[in-house]
Amino acid sequence: MLDELKQYAKAYSIPIICDDGLLFLKNTIEKHHIKDVLEIGTAIGYSAIFMAKQGCFVTTFERNEKMIQEAKKNIKSFGNQIELICEDALLYEGSLRKYDMIFIDAAKAQYKKFFEKFSPYLNENGMIICDNLNFHHLDSTKVNRNTRQLMNKIKQFKEFLINHQDYETTFYDDGDGMSITKKVVKK
Ligand code: SAH
Ligand code: MG
């Protein structure tokens, strides 16, 4: 099933997480016994289904109507484990639980906003994982203005994480650049 979704994503240029990124998620989920996940950016449900298969309960946000239709079809048999919220995550005003892990994988220019809005929903020992922090290793002098602005936004977001007093972040080169952010334990 995941293989089929991967082929579909490739055919329609949908930016799903790469194999290496999946492995990173799998290892993190296992190591920290993660059960409840909040995902920002469902796309067609590929990463959500992968995490459900690891035994997680996933609440996931998607705002794009086409993606929502695809995701709904794909997650059908995971009804007990995946809850799809069909809304722009930044406009959502409903309630949420607390999560062991928040996986940020939506609009790259909004990572700081996602972080600020959703970090209060982290369990005490929870962690925030971000994807695509290396931005495909593009050379910023060889891309168009839009892409350069996006790369700049990601750079600013990384600095925001590094300088945050209440959280500590480790960056990894796995996949397309990933990070793990945890609350600083105050002594
Ligand atoms: N996590 C998926 C890939 C997500 S691609 C996987 O690896 O399988 C990013 C998705 O985030 C896109 O489908 C886009 O529509 C969605 N997105 C971007 N900004 C969003 C927002 N503010 N709220 C909800 N979804 C958003
Ligand atoms: Mg991604």
Side-chain angles (χ1 to χ4, degrees), residues 15-17 103 105 108 111 131-132:
I16 57 166
I17 189 166
F103 178 46
D105 191 24
K108 308 307 162 207
Y111 271 24
D131 189 28
N132 306 105

Side-chain angles (χ1 to χ4, degrees), residues 28-110:
T28 309
I29 287 166
E30 277 174 6
K31 186 170 170 200
H32 301 281
H33 309 290
I34 285 166
K35 276 284 158 210
D36 289 302
V37 179
L38 176 66
E39 176 182 69
I40 321 295
T42 318
I44 59 172
Y46 181 72
S47 52
I49 290 170
F50 178 82
M51 293 188 280
K53 284 184 177 230
Q54 309 304 308
C56 297
F57 293 87
V58 185
T59 300
T60 180
F61 277 100
E62 180 54 57
R63 67 175 178 190
N64 178 293
E65 199 48 48
K66 275 211 173 105
M67 293 298 152
I68 291 169
Q69 293 319 319
E70 279 308 309
K72 274 187 180 165
K73 276 192 268 169
N74 296 333
I75 65 173
K76 228 177 213 147
S77 52
F78 294 88
N80 299 327
Q81 270 180 283
I82 303 179
E83 176 196 13
L84 175 62
I85 304 180
C86 308
E87 212 175 307
D88 187 314
L90 292 175
L91 300 179
Y92 181 70
E93 288 178 345
S95 65
L96 290 169
R97 288 174 287 134
K98 291 245 175 172
Y99 300 88
D100 304 320
M101 179 173 123
I102 299 176
F103 178 46
I104 302 181
D105 191 24
K108 308 307 162 207
Q110 317 267 20

